[in-house]
Amino acid sequence: MIVPRRVALRSLFTVAVAAFTGGTLTRIATTPSDRPARAASHDSFDSFDEMYRGRHIRGLAGPSGEPLVLVDGRPLHVMRRADGSCLTPIDHYESHATPLAATRAAVDELGSAPLTRYAAAHGVHPGGSPRGLHT
C-alpha cells in the first residue's frame, strides 16, 4: 500500500510534536523548584481592626479564607493576585503586599468621600451591562 506524501508528512509532524511536548513536560516536572512554597501566605492573612485617617477599617478571614474587608461598616472588595499581592477596585492600578496595605491605599484614595455600595463586588452593578460596563 502506498501512503500519500501529505499523510506521511502529517504523521511525522504529529509524532515530532508529541515527542517534543512529552520531553519538555518531563523535564519541567522533574526540575526542582528554587522558589519557596508560598501556599501559607496565600491562604491566610492577619485580621485587623483599626482607625485609619478617621475611618474604621476592619479585616477578617472570609468563609473560604479570602479577606473580608469593611470600611466604616461597608464592604470593600479585596482581590488577591497570583503573586500574593492585593488590590481593590478603588485603587486598582497598584498592588499591595497585604490586605491592610490595600485597604489603607483605598482609604487614602477615597479621602473624605463615602465608600459606595459598588465597591463590594467588582464588575457586578445593577443597571449595568452583563460585562460589568456602566451604561
Side-chain angles (χ1 to χ4, degrees):
M1 177 169 113
I2 298 176
V3 178
R5 181 176 176 197
R6 182 177 287 167
V7 173
L9 289 176
R10 188 179 302 154
S11 299
L12 285 174
F13 178 75
T14 303
V15 168
V17 167
F20 177 76
T21 304
T24 302
L25 290 177
T26 302
R27 184 171 181 186
I28 290 171
T30 58
T31 303
S33 176
D34 294 338
R35 289 185 259 165
R38 292 189 293 177
S41 66
H42 284 281
D43 295 337
S44 64
F45 79 99
D46 296 328
S47 61
F48 54 90
D49 189 0
E50 67 179 42
M51 290 296 290
Y52 179 73
R53 297 198 180 207
R55 294 185 182 256
H56 181 229
I57 59 175
R58 185 174 183 202
L60 309 164
S64 60
E66 78 280 355
L68 174 67
V69 175
L70 301 171
V71 176
D72 293 333
R74 291 184 172 221
L76 174 67
H77 183 63
V78 176
M79 296 167 274
R80 180 77 72 176
R81 296 182 49 159
D83 63 356
S85 62
C86 300
L87 60 108
T88 66
I90 306 299
D91 185 27
H92 61 275
Y93 293 112
E94 281 189 61
S95 296
H96 303 280
T98 63
L100 176 60
T103 305
R104 286 179 176 170
V107 168
D108 290 342
E109 189 70 26
L110 281 170
S112 62
L115 187 65
T116 67
R117 61 186 169 138
Y118 301 123
H122 185 70
V124 181
H125 304 292
S129 74
R131 296 185 321 194
L133 301 173
H134 300 284
T135 54

